[in-house]
């Protein structure tokens, strides 16, 4: 929660950064409730919020500890390629997170720039053709996976159909 609060504070005050020192943690434990815990003596914990230009993201992340919290898909992907450990699974864009993890496991060394990919899709016919073909292959594989899981399309419930159209089945 703190990074989101700091981002809001930073934006509201028109600044380019905000920071806070964490003195105490409230741990929420299932079935127990919450417990306040002080940080160990000598351990200081800071949370900061600042905009990091995409071009500087890799350099910034190279300087962080191994455990990282990220808020954007680009920073998450860059962190994973730098062998950082994302502490929490994202609550949004989970599919993209999984794709980035798979890409890392396959040995890719650089996260493609989304802007460049989008420009190529608009201006380069070969890129459009390649992406169209890859999309068709992926769609057919996904359809086979859904049919294997749910049975023939004709037997799907309205909920199954909505989830499939929304991309929530794979």
């Amino acid at each position: 929660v703190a990074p989101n609060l700091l981002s809001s504070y930073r934006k509201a005050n028109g600044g380019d950064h905000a920071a806070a020192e964490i003195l105490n943690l409230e741990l929420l434990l299932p079935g127990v409730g919450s417990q306040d815990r002080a940080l160990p003596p000598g351990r200081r914990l800071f949370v900061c919020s600042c905009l990091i230009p995409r071009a500087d993201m890799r350099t910034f992340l190279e300087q962080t500890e191994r455990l990282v919290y990220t808020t954007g898909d680009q920073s998450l992907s860059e962190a994973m390629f730098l062998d950082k450990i994302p502490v929490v699974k994202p609550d949004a864009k989970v599919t993209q997170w999984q794709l980035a993890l798979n890409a890392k496991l396959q040995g890719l060394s650089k996260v493609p720039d989304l802007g460049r990919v989008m420009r190529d899709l608009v201006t380069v016919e070969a890129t459009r053709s390649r992406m169209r073909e890859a999309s068709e292959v992926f769609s057919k594989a996904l359809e086979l996976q859904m049919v294997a899981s749910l049975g023939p399309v004709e037997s799907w419930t309205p909920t199954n159909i909505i989830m499939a159209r929304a991309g929530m089945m794979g």
Side-chain angles (χ1 to χ4, degrees):
V1 175
N4 291 335
L5 290 173
L6 288 176
S7 294
S8 297
Y9 176 79
R10 176 180 43 80
K11 290 174 187 173
N13 290 308
D16 62 357
H17 66 279
E21 182 174 9
I22 306 298
L23 302 174
N24 195 50
L25 298 173
E26 179 185 10
L27 303 177
L28 303 175
L29 305 169
V32 176
S34 66
Q35 295 180 354
D36 285 333
R37 297 283 172 101
L39 292 173
R43 175 73 172 165
R44 297 182 77 186
L45 175 63
F46 293 90
V47 177
C48 68
S49 171
C50 61
L51 296 176
I52 300 169
R54 181 171 288 201
D56 298 331
M57 182 61 63
R58 181 174 288 255
T59 303
F60 173 78
L61 288 168
E62 287 172 341
Q63 300 172 47
T64 65
E65 293 181 8
R66 188 135 192 252
L67 300 176
V68 295
Y69 293 84
T70 60
T71 57
D73 53 347
Q74 182 73 24
S75 58
L76 175 64
S77 299
E78 290 284 0
M80 293 172 69
F81 284 113
L82 291 169
D83 282 331
K84 303 296 182 175
I85 301 171
V87 178
V88 293
K89 184 176 181 178
D91 58 355
K93 299 187 178 183
V94 175
T95 301
Q96 288 86 341
W97 178 77
Q98 291 168 333
L99 288 171
L101 180 57
N102 287 336
K104 178 183 176 186
L105 294 174
Q106 294 173 16
L108 297 178
S109 63
K110 187 174 181 206
V111 178
D113 181 85
L114 181 59
R116 187 178 69 240
V117 172
M118 295 301 287
R119 278 189 298 281
D120 288 350
L121 280 171
V122 171
T123 61
V124 180
E125 177 59 37
T127 301
R128 284 193 300 275
S129 295
R130 189 176 67 251
M131 293 295 186
R132 187 180 304 113
E133 183 179 313
S135 176
E136 288 171 2
V137 168
F138 180 79
S139 293
K140 287 177 184 174
L142 183 57
E143 183 179 351
L144 289 173
Q145 177 187 347
M146 290 187 305
V147 167
S149 175
L150 300 172
V153 175
E154 300 79 32
S155 68
W156 290 6
T157 66
T159 301
N160 295 143
I161 294 168
I162 291 170
M163 290 179 68
R165 287 186 179 157
M168 299 171 66
M169 299 294 291

